[in-house]
Amino acid sequence: PEREGMFHRGSGLNLTSGQYTAPIAGYYSFTATLCLVRREQRRKWRPCRGNRLRVLICVQSRCQHNSNLETVSWLESGVGLFTISVTGVLFLQAGQYASVFVDNAADSPLTVQSGSDFSAILIGV
């Protein structure tokens, strides 16, 4: 919500860049839930490496060098609209940022829809 209430949107979230920057060092609980649409299926579905989808929350955009959170899903034939979530705890130093990445190895393009969300909550220092 834009105004004060049950939840407070802190200054760490940048909606333009899609990054959450930690105001202080600590452990943060992250959650990303993406609503995705599978646009077209180019070829007949086969259970192979080409139907894999990974969603990651990475620190400093370095998914292979820093700690990250990851979930993997295998896309099924005929799926149009679906959701995928990743959640967990990461330690961030003050000034470090975390953001969501989608690694689409599927055989058709995907589009992130409105209704998707990304949150970070400081749970301890």
Side-chain angles (χ1 to χ4, degrees):
E2 295 287 330
R3 60 188 174 90
E4 299 265 344
M6 185 174 197
F7 297 98
H8 177 71
R9 181 180 290 167
S11 61
L13 180 62
N14 182 323
L15 295 176
T16 303
S17 68
Q19 298 174 343
Y20 176 80
T21 303
I24 63 172
Y27 292 93
Y28 291 82
S29 174
F30 287 95
T31 301
T33 301
L34 303 180
C35 300
L36 300 166
V37 169
R38 189 173 193 175
R39 289 291 178 192
E40 61 185 56
Q41 194 165 341
R42 294 184 184 154
R43 58 188 116 119
K44 188 174 180 178
W45 179 83
R46 288 176 281 154
C48 65
R49 182 177 173 96
N51 290 310
R52 181 190 56 131
L53 175 68
R54 292 187 321 149
V55 175
L56 304 99
I57 298 175
C58 303
V59 177
Q60 300 293 110
S61 299
R62 296 182 177 168
C63 295
Q64 296 176 6
H65 300 292
N66 286 330
S67 297
N68 64 70
L69 305 172
E70 176 180 355
T71 189
V72 178
S73 181
W74 297 95
L75 301 180
E76 296 181 17
S77 177
V79 173
L81 177 64
F82 61 97
T83 60
I84 185 169
S85 297
V86 60
T87 188
V89 175
L90 292 171
F91 183 85
L92 272 69
Q93 296 289 343
Q96 283 188 318
Y97 67 87
S99 48
V100 179
F101 292 89
V102 176
D103 177 16
N104 179 12
D107 59 357
S108 58
L110 301 169
T111 303
V112 178
Q113 299 292 296
S114 61
S116 298
D117 64 59
F118 173 50
S119 67
I121 300 170
L122 176 64
I123 57 174
V125 291

